[in-house]
Each structure stands twice: as C-alpha cells, then as structure tokens.
Amino acid sequence: MPLIEIISDSKDYSLALEEYCKFMKWSCEFILTPVSSAYSLTKSDFIVAGDDKNEFDVEPMIEAIRKKSPMKPIVMLVPKITGEDIERFQSLSAVLFCEWPFNSRDFVEKISAANGYAINSRSSMKKLDQVYEYLKESQGNPARALIDEIQNDISEVLVSILFARSFLVEGDCQMALTHAEKACELAPECSEAWEVLARIKNKMGKRSEAIAALENHKAVVEKDADSLILLADLCLEDGQVKESKENYAKASSLDPRNAVAKKGKFLVGILDGSITKVQTNNATKTSLELAKVCNARAIALVRSEQFELAEDLYRNTIQLLPDRKIEYKLWMNLGLCMKKARCFEKAIEHFKMGKEKAPPNYPRFDEQIEAVEKLVPQSRTNKEK
C-alpha cells in the first residue's frame, strides 16, 4: 500500500485528494504535511504538493524536496502549467505537473506514473541513500562505485553533483571542480550545483570566487536555504557582517525550522550588538551553550584571519552570559586568538582579565602570559626592522 505525503496548508485540498483516491478505489495512506515542514519529509513513497490558492513558490518547494529525497517522485499541482515550468525542471527526475482543478484523466495518469516510478526505483533509492551515507563519512571511492551503478536512474545533473561531492570529501578539488562546473552548465537553475561549486572554490582558498558564484546567481540561490546559509557563512568569513545577517535571515524565513540558519542569525546578532539579552530558565546551561557556539564561530573567523570580528564576538558573548562563572574560558580563547593574530599586547590583556575571573590556582593564564611576554620584544624588533 503506497504512502502518499500531501504537502499543503489547505485541509480541504488534502481531503479532496483523499476522497478522490477513495472514489477511484486506490488503496493508499495519506500524510498531511504543512508547507513550512517541507524540509522534514516522511518516508512516503511519493509526494503530491500544491495549493489551490497558489500561495507558495513552486521552485523552493521542489528544491527543498530534492535536497532531502533526490529520487522521490513529486506530483506538483499548480493552477497553471507553462512550458517554462516543464523546461525548468526537466533536469530533475520524476517531477510531474498537473493543473488544479485537475483533469481526472491527467491526474490519474500522473499519480499512477509516480507510484510506478517509486516501485521501480526502490533499489536505486536505497543505493542513493547509501551514497549519501558514504559522503557523510568522507568515503569517496565506495560512493562513486554506487553512483556508477545508479547513474542511468537519476538525472545527469545529480550524477555530476554527487561525483563532485565524492571528490570534494577526499580533498581532490580539481576533479570535484570539473564535475561541479558540468552540473552548473547542465542546469544553471539548480541551486545545489552552485552551492557545491562555491564549496569547492572556498576549499581551494578562493573565497571571493565562491561568493561570486552564489551572488551572480542570486535568483536561484535565494530559493534554497542551504545555499543562502553557505553564502552567509562565506560573507561573514569575508568580513561582510551586514550581508551575512541578511542571508541568514532569508534562509530562516525560507525554512523556519532550519536550526543552522537560526544559529547563524543569532550569532551575527551578537556580533553586531543587536542582541543584548538572552532569556533562560537555566543560566549555567545557557551560558555553556553560548560559549560553545561562540567558540566554534570565532575559530572559523580566526582561520579566515577576521581577528577583530572574533574579538568582538567573544567580548559581546561574555556580556551576554547569564552565568559569569565560565567567562574566564572565553577570555582564555580570546587571548589565544589574539596570540595567533600576533597582537601580543592584546593577548596579554585578555589573559590577565581571564586570570582575574578564573578559579584560584588555575595555571594556564600564567603560562600563557609568560609565553607571550617573551614574544613581545621579538615582535617589536621585527617591526622596527
């Protein structure tokens, strides 16, 4: 018995589909998923998505579904179908369009086709799921072996994207770039292709080119939360705080349940000073969580040589801590950041501040102060030269 997921905010719409299937004597089960939850799909066999009022954009919906389930059949019900709609998504596997209110014969054909595709593709779907597992584990070779097995069952664009990702996880940026560029050429309307290309460019140390790849295709990128988050990350690492904040906000608006987008938006709010207070019922737990996310982002900023931004983030986070007992840990990390930036006087200043806040007999600050003080004369000599 097929399980059909209906993505819509209209209960009347889903009830109409359910009654219609009963009338046609189709034995199936239904799950109703709100449009805002389209990024969290169930284990359904295929999807019917749409809205009788046409209140959501088709492209972000398809992008969202395809990111989670690249092979899952989708029947999109829209008030009007154009040749452009069909051409725009022809590079994707099993995207079927049906006008609403639907023609009975056309609807039956599309649903039957989707169900048939789901049945015939189960083996390939399982292999594709395994490909993604291999990629998570940075196992490029076994991933490519499976991609070879299923490449005739998925779109050429997806094949290129998967090959690009498989080489990227192994650090072979040149091979990854070749496949990513092919995906972008085959489907310039595919946000995932530009996202992968940007990741590769950034891995190659070409952050400005990575940003440009996404910015130059903003109309496509703005329909995909993951691409917007990547752009926001890159902008922040490039020192573009305002642009970063805007892109995190767009990603969060597009996918309200996306925790990464929410966290990024929150961190940039701390960084630019727009967030000055946090509410909590557990001061210690909240402080530890704040310190954790601050450290992770500050380390990324230091790697990008955005030392001043890292310093601002640490200072502002310290002021937000509901439980100030752990602030000495952040002063330690801030001091280490300044040490790495060769701002030795600042490093000593932060280490001394941390020492005042640290528990008695905590030795690390004295050790760091002594080590950095030895570097100060050497640094001054080098500057004079």
Side-chain angles (χ1 to χ4, degrees), residues 194-195 197-216 229-241 244 297 299-307 309:
W194 296 109
E195 178 207 334
L197 180 67
R199 291 188 187 281
I200 295 166
K201 292 281 188 181
N202 190 49
K203 184 78 171 179
M204 296 172 76
K206 301 178 179 180
R207 186 170 59 236
S208 60
E209 291 185 23
I211 292 174
L214 297 172
E215 287 283 4
N216 293 342
I229 291 168
L230 175 59
L231 180 56
D233 289 343
L234 293 173
C235 285
L236 187 57
E237 291 170 14
D238 201 50
Q240 302 178 45
V241 178
S244 177
R297 184 48 57 96
I299 289 169
L301 289 172
V302 168
R303 286 173 180 164
S304 303
E305 299 186 354
Q306 296 293 339
F307 300 111
L309 288 182

Side-chain angles (χ1 to χ4, degrees), residues 98-159:
C98 188
E99 289 192 0
W100 174 273
F102 48 69
N103 171 285
S104 298
R105 180 177 178 180
D106 184 45
F107 181 66
V108 170
E109 288 178 352
K110 298 291 170 59
I111 291 289
S112 297
N115 192 37
Y117 183 90
I119 292 171
N120 295 330
S121 303
R122 279 174 184 163
S123 174
S124 294
M125 286 181 182
K126 288 182 180 179
K127 290 179 180 179
L128 183 59
D129 288 341
Q130 185 59 54
V131 168
Y132 284 110
E133 288 300 315
Y134 282 138
L135 293 178
K136 286 179 185 178
E137 298 166 1
S138 299
Q139 297 186 48
N141 275 327
R144 287 192 291 276
L146 283 181
I147 296 168
D148 282 332
E149 290 183 28
I150 63 174
Q151 62 179 320
N152 292 329
D153 298 326
I154 58 180
S155 70
E156 190 176 0
V157 177
L158 181 56
V159 170

Side-chain angles (χ1 to χ4, degrees), residues 31-128:
I31 297 175
L32 178 62
T33 301
V35 173
S36 61
S37 301
Y39 288 79
S40 304
L41 302 174
T42 67
K43 297 292 185 180
S44 58
D45 293 290
F46 64 93
I47 293 167
V48 175
D51 194 285
D52 52 341
K53 297 178 182 178
N54 198 32
E55 291 182 346
F56 65 76
D57 195 347
V58 170
E59 290 184 59
M61 173 66 70
I62 292 179
E63 289 282 359
I65 295 170
R66 276 291 172 258
K67 277 288 183 74
K68 294 292 184 182
S69 304
M71 290 184 69
K72 186 172 291 189
I74 310 169
V75 179
M76 295 295 303
L77 287 102
V78 291
K80 187 178 180 180
I81 304 170
T82 66
E84 291 181 359
D85 289 328
I86 296 172
E87 183 179 350
R88 189 157 63 249
F89 299 109
Q90 66 180 354
S91 61
L92 297 173
S93 305
V95 178
L96 307 171
F97 287 92
C98 188
E99 289 192 0
W100 174 273
F102 48 69
N103 171 285
S104 298
R105 180 177 178 180
D106 184 45
F107 181 66
V108 170
E109 288 178 352
K110 298 291 170 59
I111 291 289
S112 297
N115 192 37
Y117 183 90
I119 292 171
N120 295 330
S121 303
R122 279 174 184 163
S123 174
S124 294
M125 286 181 182
K126 288 182 180 179
K127 290 179 180 179
L128 183 59

Side-chain angles (χ1 to χ4, degrees), residues 3 11 14 34 64 139 251 270 294 309 318 334 337 347:
L3 178 61
K11 290 185 178 180
S14 61
Q139 297 186 48
I270 296 175
C294 168
L309 288 182
I318 288 169
L334 177 51
C337 285

Side-chain angles (χ1 to χ4, degrees), residues 158-176:
L158 181 56
V159 170
S160 297
I161 289 172
L162 291 174
F163 273 129
R165 290 192 185 279
S166 73
F167 284 110
L168 180 59
V169 298
E170 291 181 336
D172 189 343
C173 291
Q174 200 54 55
M175 283 297 293

Side-chain angles (χ1 to χ4, degrees), residues 199-348:
R199 291 188 187 281
I200 295 166
K201 292 281 188 181
N202 190 49
K203 184 78 171 179
M204 296 172 76
K206 301 178 179 180
R207 186 170 59 236
S208 60
E209 291 185 23
I211 292 174
L214 297 172
E215 287 283 4
N216 293 342
H217 300 86
K218 203 66 177 288
V220 175
V221 169
E222 287 187 338
K223 297 180 184 299
D224 177 55
D226 290 340
S227 298
L228 285 169
I229 291 168
L230 175 59
L231 180 56
D233 289 343
L234 293 173
C235 285
L236 187 57
E237 291 170 14
D238 201 50
Q240 302 178 45
V241 178
K242 180 182 176 183
E243 292 79 1
S244 177
K245 188 173 184 178
E246 289 173 354
N247 286 303
Y248 280 131
K250 288 177 182 177
S252 188
S253 176
L254 192 62
D255 180 8
R257 296 190 177 193
N258 193 305
V260 178
K262 286 182 180 179
K263 185 184 293 183
K265 184 180 175 183
F266 177 71
L267 276 170
V268 177
I270 296 175
L271 185 57
D272 68 8
S274 59
I275 294 177
T276 58
K277 188 178 181 180
V278 292
Q279 294 181 338
T280 179
N281 294 323
N282 189 326
T284 301
K285 182 180 179 181
T286 300
S287 296
L288 289 170
E289 290 173 351
L290 276 172
K292 183 179 179 180
V293 296
C294 168
N295 282 330
R297 184 48 57 96
I299 289 169
L301 289 172
V302 168
R303 286 173 180 164
S304 303
E305 299 186 354
Q306 296 293 339
F307 300 111
E308 290 185 9
L309 288 182
E311 183 177 16
D312 289 342
L313 180 57
Y314 273 120
R315 284 184 174 277
N316 292 350
T317 301
I318 288 169
Q319 295 304 313
L320 277 177
L321 293 175
D323 182 356
R324 302 296 287 267
K325 292 178 183 177
I326 68 164
E327 73 171 276
Y328 72 93
K329 296 181 180 180
L330 294 183
W331 286 114
M332 169 60 75
N333 290 334
L334 177 51
L336 292 172
C337 285
M338 293 301 102
K339 180 181 176 182
K340 186 175 180 63
R342 301 191 68 78
C343 298
F344 298 128
E345 286 85 356
K346 275 192 173 184
I348 293 171

